[in-house]
Amino acid sequence: MLEDEIRNVAHMIDQIKKEKGDNWSIKQMVVFENNLKSRLARLVNEKKKDDLLTFEQLGVDMLFVDEAHAYKNCFTFTKMRNVAGIGKASSQRATDMMLKCQYLQEMNQGRGIVFATGTPISNSMSELFVMQRYLQPQLLQKLGLNFFDNWAATFGEVVTSLEITPEGSGYRMKSRFAKFHNLPELMNMFRLVADIQTADMLNLPTPQLKDGQATVVVSECSPFQQQIMDEFVVRAEKIRNNDVDASEDNMLKLTHEAKLMSIDPRLLDEDAPADPLSKLNRCIGHVFDIWQQTQADRLTQMIFCDSGTPKPGQFNVYNEVKTQLMLRGVPEQEIAFIHDAKTDVQREQLFESVRSGAVRVLLGSTVKLGTGTNVQDRLIAAHHLDCPWRPADITQRDGRILRQGNRNETVQIFRYVTKGTFDAYLWQIQEQKLRYISQVMTGKSISRSCEDSDETVLTAAEVKAVATGNPMLAEKMHVDNEVARLKLLKANWQNERIMLENRIKQQPQRIENMQQEMQDLQADIQLSRTTMNHPFAIELDGKTFTERPKAGEMLLLLFKMTALQPDESLRIGAFRGFDLNFTRQSLYNMYLEIKGTKSYAVDLGDSELGNLSRIEHAIDKIPALLTKAEQKYNDVHDQFIAAQNEIDKPFEFDQKLQQMVARQSEINSALEFEELRGQEIVMDAGEERSELEHQERAEEMVMED
């Protein structure tokens, strides 16, 4: 398998070289082969595996993989360099899974692998290629899409645009795998192996969210937090102006610290004052209130927080929550951290304690308390203290409580946001990505093209806008959402319009065919009625039989003795004015055809009298077929009239969409103008400072003279 992978990638490199007109030198080939072997050998990691039994010797013929998204970091070769949005990570467990899948698919003609996951796409659409490599390698190879670059050229586009550098020191041209095209075709390919079931489709007995949505708890920014936000603005300006080395301070670091500060400033400075109205303390208050209200039923709660995890000797969120809850009267044994369960046995014991109600408040991070956690039995509330980094993490978090097996009919999900910080904006980014991914996966009104984003790092302009309470940023969020919603509605309207146009073109011929079918059925009904009350008589093999047992015996004998080639038909007799034929279509089994103006198929069995009854029933059912055909004709005719009336209607929200797009452009231009103006002010201030320093030095020189 490893050698095959090396040969495949080497072949691709060779093709790339030929396209460019380059030739391989022996030295280049050897260096490339050795580097590739070394990298793949590290991924296969044979040294750490036992040599007692191989996977092949185990006799495994079927692989069922749960939580398959954990294997998305599979080594994928690409000639694209310095392009964001492409997963370049590679892990040993993903490589091991790929080798197992390739082996089983070779042994089972492309079958034998089943993946199960709630989040096949966790962050970017390019992850879909990895899933297809696992499950559809033969189809990808048949279509010439088995290399990522070919797949990306078919379904994606690398967009190069001017953007702020991550450290905010200036602008640069950045290439990003940010646009996707031909999405309907891509999802049609994926659905050949993917059975996508959403909560709406399954209609499982899961609890309902109170008021139909998550509860957003907004806390005011304290004076100390506002002071830190002001410092963030200064830092952002220094980063933007390249006044600080990127290794010391950058926008990624600033974004992370902003997340910590919004939870509790003490995560940055242990000497910071404790704010009783901070979102951390408001979360503690909600947890205690629910704990008190549900004490009789011993209902449970979960608190998610990826920041401020337990660290001995310093302030952290987990210990603060536990301490404050204990001070209010919650027993220590009813509060647990997922981090305390080090082994699988300890985790299962902890989960059983939560399911039984012995532990009523469980704290954990998305990684440790997300996938594979089944403690939903008594869960009444889930609390998000911070915003996760990926949209799939929101799905995994919420899936712990909105889950089959929860005995509560109504539950609550709390999201805590500190006003004037980056909380609301980070939640907005993740929800937009989550909404887009869910639309693509479910196929609901999917557009042909879309934009994709894979980063959650604020720019310096966004820092300043949030910190200064710029209302235009909030309006930008609203307008962006509304534009996305209206564009989706328009895409759906366009799809329906195309379907209506096709229906209008096809319906006249379809109506004509249905009219002919009804005439044929009426002719066969008249034919069947001419012999309705006559004594039983059937012609078989040139002889007429008036006794049912002998006729049934002869029919079964003819059926067993007749051998037909595909698409061949043989007349064997007649009954009630209809010809009787043995017919075989393609590779299907032979059947009896009752032929009048139309043909009616009858599958014969081993019963002599039963076969005759089947023939009679098929003829007697013709009037019912006519009734069904007339009903279908009326439905199609009504649809044709409705389609003609509907095709001329314009898009209902077209004017609103145009207004929103125009407003979106105005807001983006205004924000960009403010950013550029801020840069000019900083430059002017720098020039004034330089002139002032120059004047002071000149005055000093005069005084010295």
Side-chain angles (χ1 to χ4, degrees), residues 354-404:
V354 178
R355 287 192 287 265
S356 66
V359 172
R360 296 186 55 202
V361 180
L362 180 61
L363 292 87
S365 61
T366 307
V367 175
K368 291 182 176 291
L369 204 56
T371 301
T373 302
N374 293 301
V375 294
Q376 66 272 13
D377 301 46
R378 298 170 181 265
L379 273 180
I380 190 65
H383 306 264
H384 299 288
L385 258 177
D386 61 356
C387 177
W389 287 108
R390 302 178 305 172
D393 294 339
I394 300 175
T395 304
Q396 290 292 346
R397 283 184 177 188
D398 292 347
R400 299 314 101 200
I401 186 169
L402 300 175
R403 198 174 186 85
Q404 187 179 10

Side-chain angles (χ1 to χ4, degrees), residues 102-235:
Q102 289 176 346
Y103 169 73
L104 289 176
Q105 285 164 339
E106 284 184 10
M107 300 298 294
N108 297 292
Q109 291 76 49
R111 303 172 69 88
I113 311 294
V114 178
F115 275 20
T117 174
T119 51
I121 302 176
S122 60
N123 200 41
S124 174
M125 276 294 293
S126 59
E127 295 169 8
L128 194 60
F129 174 73
V130 177
M131 286 295 169
Q132 288 186 294
R133 278 192 71 200
Y134 281 123
L135 302 173
Q136 297 178 288
Q138 294 175 337
L139 178 61
L140 290 178
Q141 188 167 8
K142 180 180 178 181
L143 297 175
L145 303 175
N146 49 326
F147 292 116
F148 178 77
D149 292 16
N150 297 346
W151 185 91
T154 305
F155 300 113
E157 179 184 351
V158 176
V159 178
T160 302
S161 59
L162 194 68
E163 65 176 40
I164 298 175
T165 56
E167 68 276 6
S169 60
Y171 291 90
R172 66 177 180 185
M173 295 301 291
K174 178 68 175 178
S175 296
R176 186 180 300 280
F177 194 57
K179 279 191 177 180
F180 286 87
H181 305 299
N182 303 322
L183 288 179
E185 289 77 12
L186 174 59
M187 293 314 300
N188 286 340
M189 278 178 55
F190 186 57
R191 282 177 176 273
L192 293 175
V193 294
D195 181 15
I196 300 172
Q197 298 292 319
T198 64
D200 297 336
M201 300 175 189
L202 296 174
N203 197 25
L204 294 173
T206 56
Q208 298 296 315
L209 265 179
K210 186 177 180 181
D211 299 328
Q213 60 183 1
T215 303
V216 179
V217 180
V218 181
S219 301
E220 292 294 330
C221 194
S222 69
F224 188 80
Q225 285 176 314
Q226 187 58 55
Q227 179 183 338
I228 297 178
M229 284 296 296
D230 294 339
E231 293 175 4
F232 284 158
V233 174
V234 174
R235 284 174 56 187

Side-chain angles (χ1 to χ4, degrees), residues 612-673:
L612 294 177
S613 298
R614 292 183 184 186
I615 297 172
E616 290 174 325
H617 290 161
I619 295 174
D620 293 339
K621 283 171 57 180
I622 296 177
L625 294 176
L626 177 60
T627 303
K628 187 176 180 181
E630 289 173 342
Q631 180 62 47
K632 189 175 181 181
Y633 170 79
N634 292 332
D635 291 342
V636 170
H637 186 266
D638 292 343
Q639 290 173 3
F640 180 57
I641 300 300
Q644 287 179 318
N645 295 333
E646 194 72 24
I647 193 70
D648 296 327
K649 292 183 179 180
F651 178 53
E652 183 180 359
F653 305 104
D654 195 46
Q655 185 176 358
K656 185 177 180 181
L657 175 59
Q658 292 177 7
Q659 292 173 349
M660 285 293 178
V661 169
R663 181 57 185 158
Q664 185 183 46
S665 178
E666 290 174 4
I667 293 173
N668 291 337
S669 299
L671 289 176
E672 290 174 5
F673 176 74

Side-chain angles (χ1 to χ4, degrees), residues 274-287:
D275 180 13
L277 298 178
S278 69
K279 75 174 183 179
L280 176 59
N281 285 315
R282 291 196 66 180
C283 174
I284 294 170
H286 278 104
V287 171

Side-chain angles (χ1 to χ4, degrees), residues 20 100 140 145 195 206 221 249 259 287 315 353 386 394 415 427 492 508 560 598-599 601 636 643 658 660 680:
K20 292 182 176 180
K100 287 181 169 64
L140 290 178
L145 303 175
D195 181 15
T206 56
C221 194
D249 201 4
K259 286 185 69 176
V287 171
F315 178 85
S353 299
D386 61 356
I394 300 175
R415 293 177 180 175
W427 274 108
N492 190 25
K560 290 182 178 179
K598 281 182 63 65
S599 297
V636 170
Q658 292 177 7
M660 285 293 178
E680 290 174 358

Side-chain angles (χ1 to χ4, degrees), residues 520-537:
D520 294 345
L521 288 170
Q522 288 171 345
D524 286 344
I525 291 172
Q526 293 299 325
L527 180 62
S528 68
R529 286 174 178 170
T530 58
T531 57
M532 183 177 293
N533 298 320
H534 291 189
F536 175 81

